[in-house]
């Protein structure tokens, strides 16, 4: 049963984005996902329609029920680089029309306005996973005509350049935002709007994009969240908040040693 927008269960754009991303995961899909929305989407899929979902992530919610927890080098060498990952879920601060991602700096690299966490494992995931799903909020600041820095390759300049360079994975096959869904066009590989959410107009999505957005001839409307999807997602968020609060409490009770203490024990 779908949640009526006038009910107490009215959903937020972030919830719609997470649920739309979760629906792309199928049972048995081997995912490599990061923290934040990708993690929430993978957990939601595991708790609803994909109960036997194998996952690779440093996530307590997943580790509690995992068959095994393996070292990070094994994840990259045995699973990712060997081509055993079906889907890599990535976020970004910036994305361009060909699905290239920036998670490094905003502004010039030498003197950036903002220096972000950096690449982590994202370039390897974007390179080796069989396909990539990107999840991020859509605005002219995040959907840009030119990246300030290219951290992870999508389709590079499009028109088959990724394949010509011998990059094994298929690249970004879906970009899920808080407004709709984009997919690469055949041939050009330019990201194209293929679906929107209820009450979101194509003009609004165009205005939230930093380049002239390509739009498919037929635009699907993504079904709103079901009551079950919202219930499971909100319960998941509550458990995550409780776990983070407990971690913060333990951290306060166990303060880090001062520099003098560290030197005295060295």
């Amino acid at each position: 049963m779908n949640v009526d927008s006038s009910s107490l269960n009215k959903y937020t754009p972030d919830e719609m984005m997470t649920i739309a991303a979760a629906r792309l995961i199928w049972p048995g899909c081997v995912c490599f996902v990061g923290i934040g929305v990708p993690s929430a989407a993978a957990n939601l899929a595991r708790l609803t329609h994909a109960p036997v979902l194998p996952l690779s992530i440093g996530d307590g919610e997943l580790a509690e029920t995992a068959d095994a927890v393996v070292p990070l080098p094994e994840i990259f060498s045995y699973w990712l680089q060997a081509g055993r990952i079906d889907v890599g879920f990535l976020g970004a601060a910036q994305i361009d029309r060909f699905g290239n991602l920036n998670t490094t700096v905003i502004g010039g690299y030498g003197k950036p306005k903002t220096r972000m966490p950096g690449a982590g494992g994202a370039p390897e995931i974007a390179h080796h996973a069989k396909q990539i799903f990107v999840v991020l909020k859509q605005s002219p600041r995040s959907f840009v005509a030119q990246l300030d820095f290219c951290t992870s390759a999508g389709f590079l300049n499009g028109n088959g350049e990724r394949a010509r360079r011998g990059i094994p994975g298929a690249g970004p096959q879906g970009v899920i935002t808080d407004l709709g869904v984009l997919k690469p066009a055949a041939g050009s590989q330019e990201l194209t709007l293929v679906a929107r959410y209820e009450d979101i107009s194509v003009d609004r999505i165009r205005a939230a994009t930093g380049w002239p957005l390509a739009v498919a001839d037929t635009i699907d409307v993504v079904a709103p969240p079901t009551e079950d999807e919202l219930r499971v997602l909100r319960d998941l968020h509550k458990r995550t908040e409780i776990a983070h609060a407990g971690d913060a409490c333990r951290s306060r009770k166990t303060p880090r040693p001062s520099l003098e203490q560290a030197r005295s024990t060295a």
Side-chain angles (χ1 to χ4, degrees), residues 25-33 42-43 45-46 50-57 62 65-68 75 79 84-87 89:
I25 300 174
W26 60 93
C29 170
V30 180
C31 294
F32 199 142
V33 298
N43 271 305
R46 180 179 63 87
V52 293
L53 184 69
L55 289 160
S56 305
I57 185 174
L62 297 172
T65 57
D67 291 333
I75 292 296
W79 288 96
R84 293 182 170 93
I85 301 296
D86 294 321
V87 170
F89 256 112

Side-chain angles (χ1 to χ4, degrees), residues 179-208:
L179 301 177
V181 179
L182 295 81
K183 292 185 177 181
S188 71
Q189 298 176 314
E190 181 174 346
L191 294 178
T192 301
L193 180 68
V194 298
R196 62 178 179 83
Y197 302 144
E198 280 193 338
D199 302 323
I200 302 293
S201 68
V202 172
D203 286 342
R204 179 177 170 185
I205 300 173
R206 281 193 168 115

